[in-house]
Amino acid sequence: MALAPLRRGLPLDEPRERPPSPREAARWIITAPDRHGPQTAERLRRLLEHCPALRRTHDLVREFAAMLDTRDPTPLPDWLGQLANSGLAPLAGIATALREDQHQSC
């Protein structure tokens, strides 16, 4: 039965790409874009296109990474506001925890 389409000259179904695991998607998001290979970059692009919440998370993570790269904390208050107002409960929780840490360390 598996060979019948081949004998009739019918095209085989395109092999389906397995979706990334949550760990794999997280690694793609936290990795600097210039360190992705072309295949990973394309898969990440499609994933972010498919999931707006993940796109928002990716953008916020990259903004935070830029602050770390430049060692410039100036944008942190605005970034925390974006995190809190992202509409994503886990990110809002991180913003709350970071603000609490800021107040305790002052």
Side-chain angles (χ1 to χ4, degrees):
M1 204 153 49
L3 296 177
L6 290 174
R7 288 187 183 128
R8 289 188 300 238
L10 298 175
L12 296 177
D13 289 339
E14 298 265 334
R16 296 188 185 207
E17 187 174 67
R18 83 172 166 75
S21 68
R23 181 176 287 179
E24 191 173 26
R27 187 174 55 247
W28 294 349
I29 288 171
I30 64 171
T31 300
D34 62 342
R35 298 196 57 174
H36 290 298
Q39 184 179 16
T40 300
E42 175 59 21
R43 289 187 72 195
L44 176 60
R45 183 196 63 75
R46 288 194 321 262
L47 180 65
L48 298 179
E49 187 177 274
H50 180 71
C51 183
L54 211 49
R55 160 66 69 191
R56 184 72 182 128
T57 302
H58 172 269
D59 294 346
L60 289 164
V61 166
R62 298 308 332 142
E63 287 178 34
F64 186 72
M67 281 187 275
L68 293 176
D69 288 345
T70 61
R71 294 188 168 107
D72 179 12
T74 307
L76 186 61
D78 289 337
W79 181 81
L80 287 172
Q82 290 179 55
L83 213 59
N85 297 319
S86 66
L88 303 168
L91 298 183
I94 291 170
T96 300
L98 289 173
R99 284 183 172 141
E100 288 173 3
D101 285 349
Q102 274 184 317
H103 294 300
Q104 289 177 3
S105 65
C106 292

